Amino acid sequence: MQQGSRRSWRRALTVAAGSFAVVTALGVPFGLLWHALAPTVPVIDAGDNGIVVNDPSPEQYIAADGWLTLLGIGFGLLVAIVAWLLLRRDRGPALLLGVVAGAGVGVHWVAVPIGEMIGKDAYEQWRASAAQGATYLAPPEVHSLGPTLIPAFVAAIVLTLLAGWSNDPDLDHPGAQPGYGPNHGQYDEPYPSYNSTPAPQPVAGDPLSSGWPVGPDPTAAPAPPAPGPADQPRG
């Protein structure tokens, strides 16, 4: 049986930590993009009732969650495919752990806080000095936990599917047959031959011979029977 390539624990930890750090840092532009696309929410100062949404059917109130979900699907898909292609020699559980953890932390703890922080100071100042009946466009805000977990979920599925579709045992290279990677060439004949018996050779001087045993000629006269005991001459 073929032996898989052995990677050191130090290299595995380096891959996991490096991919985690890079994907987590990508949460910064992700948060800026989410803030730019998510719509603001129209609010009004209702006096004793506080700040309320100034819309009978506020779609903008949940639009931030919807945009985060859509962008999170693309983000998880992108980081998984890029990591799979760039870190070709380090595919495996360490890469999966680093990318999935980085996608979850980068969106939940980096992208969402940055996106909600932009414009929040001006909104708080308006709330402190607004008179009753004044309106304002509040910055987007995430209202549920589910959208922040979508990128990690998508990245885990994509990397798992890519590993399952790969037919190389070490996941180092996409091969055309098992053993394409570092174990390629270990065996001279990877698959057993079921036709190991050599074919019979044709008889020399007979160009029509196929090499198989030749049977009796049907047009030839039958041979005389062998003499029995009764046919022997008596002395």
Side-chain angles (χ1 to χ4, degrees), residues 61-222:
Y61 188 75
I62 60 174
D65 292 20
W67 274 107
L68 186 64
T69 301
L70 294 177
L71 293 176
I73 294 175
F75 182 75
L77 181 64
L78 180 63
V79 296
I81 294 178
V82 171
W84 179 268
L85 295 177
L86 293 183
L87 302 177
R88 186 181 299 270
R89 292 291 183 181
D90 299 294
R91 296 170 179 172
L95 181 63
L96 174 66
L97 179 62
V99 173
V100 172
V105 174
V107 173
H108 184 75
W109 298 105
V110 178
V112 172
I114 289 179
E116 293 179 343
M117 181 181 60
I118 301 175
K120 189 174 183 180
D121 292 340
Y123 174 63
E124 294 296 336
Q125 294 178 3
W126 173 84
R127 291 186 58 179
S129 59
Q132 185 175 355
T135 59
Y136 195 81
L137 293 177
E141 183 180 357
V142 178
H143 300 89
S144 59
L145 179 64
T148 63
L149 303 178
I150 293 294
F153 182 71
V154 172
I157 292 179
V158 172
L159 286 175
T160 303
L161 290 178
L162 290 175
W165 290 335
S166 177
N167 49 11
D168 183 78
D170 299 325
L171 301 178
D172 293 336
H173 294 286
Q177 61 183 8
Y180 175 81
N183 297 321
H184 181 62
Q186 183 175 356
Y187 300 99
D188 295 333
E189 186 178 0
Y191 299 101
S193 176
Y194 296 97
N195 190 18
S196 57
T197 303
Q201 299 297 325
V203 179
D206 187 3
L208 299 180
S209 176
S210 61
W212 294 98
V214 180
D217 188 359
T219 61

Side-chain angles (χ1 to χ4, degrees), residues 12-28:
L13 293 176
T14 302
V15 171
S19 58
F20 171 79
V22 172
V23 177
T24 301
L26 292 177
V28 176

